[in-house]
Amino acid sequence: MNHSLFAALRGNFPHDLDGVAIECADGLPGRYTWRDLERATAMLANLLASLKLPAGSRVAVQTEKSVEALMLYLAVLRAGYVYLPLNTAYQAAEIEYFIGNAEPAVVVCSGKNFGWVSQIAFKAGTTHVFTLNEDRSGSLLERAAHQSDQHTPAHCQRDDLACILYTSGTTGRSKGAMLTHGNILSNAQTLKDYWGWKAGDVLIHALPLFHVHGLFVAAQGALLNGSKMIWLSKFDAKTVVANLPRATVFMGVPTLYVRMLAEPGLTREACKNMRLFLAGSAPLLIETFNEWRERTGHTIVERYGMSETVILTSNPYRAEDGERRGGTVGFPLPGVGLRVQDDNGQPCPAGEVGNIQVSGPNVFAGYWRMPDKTKEEFTADGWFKTGDVGRVDADGYVTIVGRSKDLIISGGYNVYPAEIEGFINEMPGVAESAVIGVPHPDFGEAGVAVVVAKPGATLDDAAIVQSLKSRIANFKVPKRVYVVSELPRNAMGKVLKNQLRDQHIGLFSQG
Ligand code: AMP
């Protein structure tokens, strides 16, 4: 049997290949039929095959989001090679690290970056560098145009490598998470069932393609269900809201929801055909969750996942499975094992915070060329240490409290930033906050809060400290509070806490 992820997706294309698969809602106008996807991925796969690359070759891609870039992903799978997406924000030093580490046989980049990217790639032993631009120009498509549009998908085993995803590195150097055809496909099939994908669904795709969320969860979710996508090359709140009446499913990181809430066009009427709003990649504020429900009548389904495992938990879609509980990430998905342990490897009782560990067919095959790091991140009995800290309540709901590396140990006490952030965010006039730990001569580490005010509100740092003191233990109260205009975030909406830490690292140092 062929376990190829591409073959599984292709097998779910609708019978009528002339129906619309993707409709562009911004940028270049265009509609792509299922037949276009079938033919273009065949031509691109034939181009890759013509290069006679060794088995297991990596194809690294750093291009702007486009339908053709999605086709390239599918073609790499179709040809049986390993896809390696790279964040478009990465600059030369970062690209040099990824290309040096992954040693891709093929690199595809934007024409405007060809000079420096090709220099890095050829130095690292890459044999082919192609270009692909947002306007559909570039050498990749020119070369593929001469290829046949017939191609038999490569035969793959479940354990064959499909993708390498470099982790976002918000807490350290990026590592290449190796995901197999079996990892990605098993998760996609579970989500298809759990989220009730059905005939007639239409997805608004407004996420980047270089990350799990936009690629595996959103684009692939639609493809596996043979569902049409309304395609935005860049997120724009107005465009998404304008397209809601024609759609049934939307997926976004929390910041996208916040921006859409600022649109007057976001009404119950606009959402009347919507079936499902999903959020993840970063914590969804309870305020956003509540405000969204009031405005649209829809309750966002928050879920939790990571590059190494794709999706792990989700709030229920079907009412009979339970309520969608704000501030939680729901239940482990069917087939996913999730447990919470203390630092000594003992199970934590329900409701107690500890280290989240997971197992299941979705858990990755290890970090690319880092056997020691891989070993470190798995327990002796084979569970993956997510690096997330959280708890499972008595009724099974999982709550993420933060990253273990973000944990602050102040005067010997554990301080969980998310708990403190929760208290600060509830204060009047506060839009959001981030709490970080920095070195302190007496306490080892001390908490520092960085707070953003709501538009038009003014905040007083001393008043925030005072208010916290009246509500939580003194050791948890940040030693300093800074009011800023915005928090630094990466493209997936994650707050860059290491950047904040670097900014404040010398705050309490002597001399
Ligand atoms: P990445 O590998 O870039 O997708 O990052 C994965 C990390 O994002 C996880 O380990 C969590 O720390 C965080 N994350 C993802 N989804 C959520 C969520 N719903 N709530 C809180 N944190 C999340």
Side-chain angles (χ1 to χ4, degrees), residues 20-345:
V20 175
I22 302 179
E23 189 185 317
C24 299
D26 66 355
L28 290 187
R31 281 168 170 235
Y32 297 76
T33 63
W34 295 96
R35 194 180 303 284
D36 292 334
L37 289 190
E38 162 59 19
R39 289 187 58 231
T41 57
M43 291 161 90
L44 286 163
N46 280 324
L47 170 62
L48 293 171
S50 75
L51 305 177
K52 306 265 180 278
L53 309 172
S57 286
R58 278 79 58 208
V59 178
V61 179
Q62 190 197 29
T63 60
E64 297 301 326
K65 179 177 173 181
S66 66
V67 176
E68 287 70 20
L70 177 67
M71 289 169 163
L72 173 60
Y73 161 65
L74 296 171
V76 173
L77 295 178
R78 185 168 189 157
Y81 295 116
V82 180
Y83 183 73
L84 196 166
L86 292 167
N87 191 324
T88 40
Y90 289 146
Q91 302 295 319
E94 291 149 318
I95 293 295
E96 194 163 6
Y97 167 73
F98 295 121
I99 290 187
N101 189 250
E103 296 184 319
V106 178
V107 170
V108 182
C109 65
S110 302
K112 64 178 191 296
N113 298 335
F114 179 78
W116 62 270
V117 173
S118 61
Q119 213 175 357
I120 292 171
F122 291 136
K123 214 170 85 189
T126 297
T127 40
H128 305 274
V129 180
F130 295 104
T131 56
L132 173 62
N133 301 316
E134 285 158 279
D135 63 0
R136 300 174 194 143
S137 65
S139 59
L140 183 81
L141 299 180
E142 280 165 23
R143 289 280 302 276
H146 303 290
Q147 300 290 330
S148 154
D149 63 1
Q150 304 292 313
H151 176 273
T152 308
H155 202 272
C156 298
Q157 303 296 328
R158 203 177 270 134
D159 291 341
D160 286 348
L161 206 50
C163 292
I164 299 180
L165 292 187
Y166 278 88
T167 56
S168 51
T170 47
T171 47
R173 186 112 229 196
S174 277
K175 303 178 286 289
M178 298 189 289
L179 290 156
T180 65
H181 286 258
N183 290 148
I184 303 169
L185 183 55
S186 66
N187 201 249
Q189 281 164 337
T190 302
L191 293 177
K192 179 176 173 177
D193 177 50
Y194 198 76
W195 291 339
W197 279 96
K198 58 182 184 197
D201 267 338
V202 176
L203 169 82
I204 297 184
H205 194 294
L207 289 161
L209 277 187
F210 52 72
H211 186 267
V212 187
H213 199 163
L215 190 60
F216 299 153
V217 190
Q220 220 163 244
L223 292 173
L224 191 65
N225 194 52
S227 291
K228 180 174 137 177
M229 284 185 255
I230 297 177
W231 187 266
L232 277 74
S233 53
K234 288 204 171 52
F235 171 78
D236 173 69
K238 244 186 206 27
T239 312
V240 173
V241 171
N243 280 284
L244 284 174
R246 304 194 299 129
T248 62
V249 183
F250 176 76
M251 301 191 193
V253 299
T255 22
L256 305 195
Y257 284 96
V258 174
R259 292 202 216 146
M260 284 160 72
L261 279 166
E263 285 301 318
L266 181 74
T267 58
R268 280 174 188 249
E269 178 62 20
C271 298
K272 70 169 194 280
N273 295 323
M274 287 297 294
R275 179 174 76 73
L276 179 58
F277 286 99
L278 284 151
S281 293
L284 180 73
L285 294 181
I286 189 80
E287 231 178 50
T288 313
F289 175 88
N290 288 334
E291 214 181 312
W292 192 269
R293 182 150 58 188
E294 276 158 33
R295 270 284 279 288
T296 68
H298 287 270
T299 309
I300 297 174
V301 171
E302 184 174 4
R303 93 296 179 286
Y304 154 63
M306 59 200 311
S307 303
E308 290 90 335
T309 62
V310 200
I311 302 303
L312 291 162
T313 73
S314 172
N315 268 284
Y317 168 65
R318 297 178 181 88
E320 62 265 32
D321 293 336
E323 61 161 342
R324 302 174 190 175
R325 202 171 284 176
T328 83
V329 291
F331 305 118
L333 289 172
V336 171
L338 185 144
R339 69 187 187 191
V340 181
Q341 287 199 343
D342 65 17
D343 289 340
N344 303 317

